[in-house]
Amino acid sequence: MSTPKPELITLDNGLRIVTEPMPGAPSAVITLRFTFGAKDDPMDRLGIARIAEDVSFKGTPSMDARAIFDAFDSLGVRRGSSTTVEYTQFQAQIRPTHYEKTLELYHTIISTASFPDSEIDVSKQLTLEELKRLEDNPIQQAMYLTFKAALGDPMGRIPLGEPETLALIGASDVRSYWTEYCDPSRLIVAVAGGLDQEQIISGITETFGGWSSANRGDSDSHIVTVADQAVHHEKASEQEHIGIVFGSIPRTHEMYYVAQVAVAILSGSGSSRLFTEVREKRGLAYSVSAFYRARQSGGMVALYAGTTADRAQETLDVCRAEMARLAEDVTGDELERSKTILKGSLFTSGDLPEGRASSLAEDVFLQGDGRSLDDIATGIDSVTLDQIPAYLETFPPMPQTLVTLGPKPLA
Amino acid sequence: MSTPKPELITLDNGLRIVTEPMPGAPSAVITLRFTFGAKDDPMDRLGIARIAEDVSFKGTPSMDARAIFDAFDSLGVRRGSSTTVEYTQFQAQIRPTHYEKTLELYHTIISTASFPDSEIDVSKQLTLEELKRLEDNPIQQAMYLTFKAALGDPMGRIPLGEPETLALIGASDVRSYWTEYCDPSRLIVAVAGGLDQEQIISGITETFGGWSSANRGDSDSHIVTVADQAVHHEKASEQEHIGIVFGSIPRTHEMYYVAQVAVAILSGSGSSRLFTEVREKRGLAYSVSAFYRARQSGGMVALYAGTTADRAQETLDVCRAEMARLAEDVTGDELERSKTILKGSLFTSGDLPEGRASSLAEDVFLQGDGRSLDDIATGIDSVTLDQIPAYLETFPPMPQTLVTLGPKPLA
């Protein structure tokens, strides 16, 4: 099965469209990614991007929140949305027959959101609740604290904001923010699933094509740099949560796929090194994983391990030893297995239309064009054994930020 | 698109096969569900089903754990497994070309698992870690405590077992357990995805067909009964976690789909009543949801809400008011929207092969045969407005167990 190169189409108003038609598939996914996020929040209004994302769907001049929710539910749309440091994203999983109506609804809401005062108040209240609930989700809390320490401001921001800055956000701030940032030139629309190319393009052109742009272009991107430090957050618990971040390769680098294979050798499967050494051989930690994350200007590798306090130092030592050993003794068998896993996961890691729409939006966001499944498979296949140490020499796991959340600091 | 009735095939050794071929789909999913689980654990060996599930993949006479993990990873298999109160399940998401080899691997492992002593020790250690980690996952902890209080023993068991009973589990116990319970007559194999019917059936017949059965039949099922009580677990936190369980309809009941629509009106979408009243109108709780769960002999509805302690009583009061109101004033619009959402979710709630294989295994487990997507859609469409109060009269939300985990008890 050969997959064509995804076509990138840019409308006159700057809106970019990237597609993967799968005629006959019983569902389709629309991903709307805006190239602004928590990094653009004013320092005294941290959290405003997240509030705007939430409340944009709570009112237009002709619909209140109830009417909007009813409209989506009447189409059977499965909706999601998220605000990250670098982008704001809305996603809809639909039956293909509802494609045009779903697009119309998104266009109306996004381009005429009225941000009612009362809805801003509810959203601020719920965001405060969500911040407090981090106390009850120490894994996520540990990762937020790790990224915050490692990347600093603005790239390490927690998109939820802070209680003090949330309190200052008024409805007029949110309306001004949306007017300033929300623009078709900052929107990437990715569609994958049971539709044909012509229908996908005409649907978007007819709804979003008439939305006029102030031609703002992308907001500023910020380079990923990682601080060399160890930070401990005391928490009365039997559990110690360990987060590590170090810099890695950007998406556009020629050794990008080498990094993906290297991280897959370290983590993500039953035969991966961290799982084998930390969990299976030593029973040290129930949960240990490492993952790569790209940003617009850079990349990083993050590691998480959760264990009991008395096993935490050994867990950390084993993780560090495995990161060091990666430059030394990867075998041909390991390389081939990791390639097989990475290629298999293109088809076996969830709903295909959803995965492809997200992936294409991310591609355009990070590198300006979309990758086909074949492009990705070819990239993975091209990695050779001697490239692994070469990659690790160029992008060593240092400087490194270590964050611990639990009863005792580690060294 | 019309979907055929799934065919149920029973091999001579009692193994049941249920399928949904999707020729051309790029992935396939194999679900192996055994009809034994934590409910069958001896009282002094609670947790043994879970340990057996984990360690069954850690050794055979010809392969150690490392060789087994490498074999799966070389096929690019995305694996999962779980032990619940009523069943033990293994699941593989694969590229269709690896179907036969994956089946062979599962057959070899399941039918010749050797349960090495050292692997039992590691698994017990990791299970203890997982139990301790519940402290850091109060949402899951609250739901475990709610089911435990509501359903008692054995139906309310936590499959992880308890520290005292885990300590008593020896390797010989696990081997005896597996010999006694693991039998083809207790295995349901569901396959969905990019394979044709003939290939699916011949693959299973050639691998599992020769596995001889002691003809044990299913282990005993237990009726769901819910205690009328309120239980508080003190926890120093700003957050209060609220769990409620009450009895509902079994899968085989003629009003089953009425219950599904009723719960969908209550929870699961932006226009649902709990979301609207608790979250959107009052900003009381960041997270509130209700869901239906079937068991082999009965069913139940569970509700979860998490909020700050000072809002907890109001949150509970609003949830209860909404449960009561459900019998009174559902509108035709709400009914139609909920049907649309439920039917849409058949196609938009994740990977289709994975969803269908899980759903078919559950169908055979609960009602003895598989339902097609059309069967389910027809069931949903058949629900009428007057059936909602009739269902709630037959299955009222009482007796009811209320469990709170947090700084204060509620009434």
Side-chain angles (χ1 to χ4, degrees):
Chain A
M1 190 171 64
S2 174
T3 54
K5 178 85 188 160
E7 199 180 347
L8 180 72
I9 293 167
T10 305
L11 302 185
D12 289 345
N13 60 11
L15 185 153
R16 285 162 285 175
I17 304 168
V18 61
T19 68
E20 183 154 320
M22 305 173 183
S27 72
V29 171
I30 306 167
T31 296
L32 302 153
R33 180 179 291 204
F34 284 100
T35 61
F36 52 85
K39 71 175 167 52
D40 304 304
D41 291 351
M43 279 302 287
D44 58 354
R45 296 291 189 279
L46 296 178
I48 196 169
R50 167 88 168 103
I51 297 285
E53 168 230 313
D54 184 38
V55 185
S56 59
F57 281 67
K58 299 293 173 63
T60 71
S62 62
M63 286 188 285
D64 64 8
R66 176 81 214 189
I68 290 172
F69 283 28
D70 287 358
F72 277 112
D73 286 346
S74 295
L75 294 170
V77 178
R78 181 170 290 255
R79 283 195 301 139
S81 63
S82 57
T83 300
T84 72
V85 171
E86 291 196 317
Y87 62 82
T88 301
Q89 183 162 299
F90 305 97
Q91 187 153 299
Q93 195 168 11
I94 56 171
R95 299 303 306 271
T97 48
H98 295 142
Y99 174 65
E100 284 82 6
K101 285 197 168 151
T102 304
L103 279 176
E104 280 166 27
L105 202 49
Y106 273 102
H107 169 253
T108 301
I109 292 163
I110 286 170
S111 64
T112 69
S114 57
F115 299 98
D117 290 15
S118 61
E119 298 290 353
I120 301 269
D121 290 341
V122 169
S123 183
K124 285 166 65 174
Q125 184 57 50
L126 290 170
T127 305
L128 283 171
E129 293 274 339
E130 203 178 344
L131 273 172
K132 282 185 196 154
R133 283 170 71 80
L134 283 179
E135 176 198 340
D136 277 351
N137 189 347
I139 297 177
Q140 182 163 22
Q141 190 180 23
M143 290 321 294
Y144 272 147
L145 292 169
T146 305
F147 287 122
K148 189 173 179 176
L151 306 176
D153 193 86
M155 291 301 282
R157 286 181 179 175
I158 298 174
L160 295 171
E162 295 172 7
E164 303 73 32
T165 58
L166 284 168
L168 295 177
I169 295 172
S172 62
D173 296 325
V174 181
R175 289 182 205 118
S176 305
Y177 170 86
W178 199 248
T179 304
E180 181 180 344
Y181 282 94
C182 186
D183 190 279
S185 65
R186 288 174 173 162
L187 176 56
I188 298 160
V189 182
V191 179
L195 297 157
D196 64 36
Q197 176 74 356
E198 192 187 354
Q199 190 185 3
I200 295 175
I201 301 299
S202 68
I204 299 169
T205 308
E206 282 163 28
T207 49
F208 285 89
W211 185 19
S212 64
S213 167
N215 279 317
R216 300 185 188 277
D218 287 349
S219 59
D220 292 343
S221 77
H222 298 262
I223 291 172
V224 171
T225 53
V226 176
D228 197 10
Q229 61 187 334
V231 180
H232 178 66
H233 296 271
E234 190 74 19
K235 178 176 168 128
S237 166
E238 281 190 65
Q239 300 287 311
E240 189 90 13
H241 302 273
I242 303 168
I244 292 175
V245 166
F246 50 90
S248 179
I249 209 158
R251 164 67 78 83
T252 48
H253 195 286
E254 59 179 10
M255 284 200 291
Y256 169 77
Y257 290 103
V258 184
Q260 304 313 304
V261 171
V263 172
I265 290 169
L266 205 56
S267 178
S269 68
S271 61
S272 65
R273 290 180 168 199
L274 285 177
F275 189 83
T276 303
E277 298 298 325
V278 174
R279 194 190 134 110
E280 297 300 301
K281 278 197 192 161
R282 294 179 179 84
L284 283 172
Y286 177 73
S287 169
V288 59
S289 62
F291 45 93
Y292 167 87
R293 286 288 179 273
R295 295 290 179 263
Q296 282 197 304
S297 300
M300 67 190 113
V301 172
L303 182 147
Y304 167 81
T307 181
T308 43
D310 58 342
R311 293 156 174 266
Q313 187 65 53
E314 188 182 353
T315 300
L316 175 61
D317 294 344
V318 173
C319 288
R320 283 184 164 153
E322 288 309 313
M323 289 190 280
R325 191 164 69 92
L326 200 57
E328 293 162 15
D329 62 354
V330 173
T331 67
D333 278 356
E334 268 183 308
L335 181 75
E336 290 312 312
R337 249 193 331 262
S338 295
K339 289 180 178 184
T340 303
I341 291 164
L342 285 173
K343 286 186 290 178
S345 71
L346 298 175
F347 296 95
T348 61
S349 53
D351 179 60
L352 198 60
E354 187 175 357
R356 290 301 296 149
S358 294
S359 180
L360 288 170
E362 175 94 346
D363 288 347
V364 173
F365 183 69
L366 292 176
Q367 65 181 52
D369 61 354
R371 299 175 301 164
S372 70
L373 287 170
D374 278 353
D375 292 339
I376 301 170
T378 302
I380 294 164
D381 275 331
S382 73
V383 177
T384 57
L385 206 50
D386 58 324
Q387 288 180 310
I388 307 260
Y391 154 69
L392 287 161
E393 197 171 322
T394 317
F395 295 91
M398 62 193 67
Q400 187 177 98
T401 289
L402 164 70
V403 169
T404 44
L405 173 68
K408 71 173 183 185
L410 305 179
Chain B
M1 190 171 65
S2 174
T3 54
K5 178 85 189 160
E7 199 180 347
L8 180 72
I9 293 167
T10 305
L11 302 185
D12 289 345
N13 59 11
L15 185 151
R16 285 162 285 176
I17 305 169
V18 61
T19 68
E20 183 155 321
M22 305 173 184
S27 71
V29 171
I30 306 167
T31 296
L32 302 153
R33 180 179 291 204
F34 285 100
T35 61
F36 52 85
K39 71 176 168 52
D40 305 303
D41 291 350
M43 279 302 288
D44 58 354
R45 296 292 188 279
L46 296 178
I48 195 169
R50 167 86 169 103
I51 297 285
E53 169 230 314
D54 184 39
V55 185
S56 59
F57 281 67
K58 300 293 173 62
T60 71
S62 62
M63 286 188 285
D64 64 8
R66 176 82 214 189
I68 290 172
F69 283 28
D70 287 357
F72 277 111
D73 286 346
S74 295
L75 294 170
V77 179
R78 180 171 290 255
R79 283 195 301 139
S81 63
S82 58
T83 300
T84 72
V85 170
E86 291 196 316
Y87 62 82
T88 301
Q89 183 163 299
F90 305 97
Q91 186 152 300
Q93 195 168 12
I94 56 171
R95 298 304 306 271
T97 47
H98 295 142
Y99 174 65
E100 284 82 7
K101 284 196 168 152
T102 304
L103 279 176
E104 280 167 28
L105 202 49
Y106 273 102
H107 170 253
T108 301
I109 292 163
I110 286 170
S111 64
T112 69
S114 57
F115 299 97
D117 290 15
S118 62
E119 298 290 353
I120 300 270
D121 290 341
V122 168
S123 183
K124 285 167 63 175
Q125 184 58 49
L126 290 171
T127 305
L128 283 171
E129 293 274 340
E130 203 178 344
L131 273 172
K132 282 186 195 153
R133 282 170 72 80
L134 283 180
E135 176 198 339
D136 277 352
N137 190 348
I139 297 177
Q140 182 163 23
Q141 190 180 22
M143 290 321 294
Y144 272 147
L145 292 169
T146 305
F147 287 123
K148 189 173 179 177
L151 306 176
D153 193 86
M155 292 300 282
R157 286 180 179 176
I158 298 174
L160 295 171
E162 295 171 6
E164 303 72 33
T165 58
L166 284 168
L168 295 177
I169 295 172
S172 62
D173 296 325
V174 182
R175 289 182 204 115
S176 305
Y177 170 86
W178 199 248
T179 304
E180 181 180 344
Y181 282 94
C182 186
D183 190 278
S185 65
R186 288 175 174 161
L187 176 56
I188 298 160
V189 182
V191 179
L195 297 157
D196 64 36
Q197 175 74 357
E198 192 187 355
Q199 190 185 3
I200 295 175
I201 301 299
S202 68
I204 299 169
T205 307
E206 281 163 29
T207 49
F208 285 89
W211 185 19
S212 64
S213 166
N215 279 317
R216 299 184 189 277
D218 287 349
S219 59
D220 293 342
S221 76
H222 298 262
I223 290 172
V224 171
T225 53
V226 176
D228 197 10
Q229 61 186 335
V231 181
H232 178 66
H233 296 271
E234 190 73 19
K235 177 175 168 128
S237 167
E238 281 190 64
Q239 300 287 312
E240 189 89 14
H241 302 273
I242 303 168
I244 292 175
V245 165
F246 50 89
S248 179
I249 209 159
R251 164 66 78 83
T252 48
H253 196 286
E254 59 179 10
M255 284 200 291
Y256 169 77
Y257 290 103
V258 184
Q260 304 313 304
V261 171
V263 172
I265 290 169
L266 205 55
S267 178
S269 68
S271 60
S272 65
R273 290 181 167 198
L274 285 176
F275 189 83
T276 303
E277 298 297 327
V278 174
R279 195 190 133 110
E280 297 300 300
K281 278 198 193 161
R282 294 179 179 84
L284 283 172
Y286 178 73
S287 169
V288 58
S289 62
F291 45 92
Y292 167 87
R293 287 288 179 272
R295 295 291 179 263
Q296 282 197 305
S297 299
M300 67 190 113
V301 172
L303 183 147
Y304 168 80
T307 181
T308 43
D310 57 342
R311 293 157 173 264
Q313 187 66 53
E314 188 182 353
T315 301
L316 175 61
D317 294 343
V318 173
C319 288
R320 282 185 166 152
E322 288 310 314
M323 289 190 280
R325 192 165 68 92
L326 200 57
E328 293 162 15
D329 62 353
V330 172
T331 67
D333 278 356
E334 268 184 307
L335 180 75
E336 289 313 312
R337 250 194 330 263
S338 295
K339 289 180 177 183
T340 303
I341 291 164
L342 285 173
K343 286 186 289 178
S345 71
L346 297 175
F347 296 95
T348 61
S349 53
D351 179 60
L352 198 60
E354 187 174 357
R356 289 301 296 149
S358 295
S359 180
L360 289 170
E362 176 94 346
D363 288 346
V364 173
F365 183 68
L366 292 176
Q367 65 181 53
D369 61 354
R371 299 176 300 164
S372 70
L373 286 170
D374 279 352
D375 292 338
I376 301 170
T378 303
I380 295 165
D381 275 331
S382 72
V383 177
T384 57
L385 206 50
D386 58 324
Q387 288 180 310
I388 308 259
Y391 154 69
L392 288 161
E393 196 171 322
T394 318
F395 295 92
M398 61 192 68
Q400 187 178 97
T401 289
L402 164 70
V403 170
T404 43
L405 173 67
K408 71 172 183 186
L410 305 179

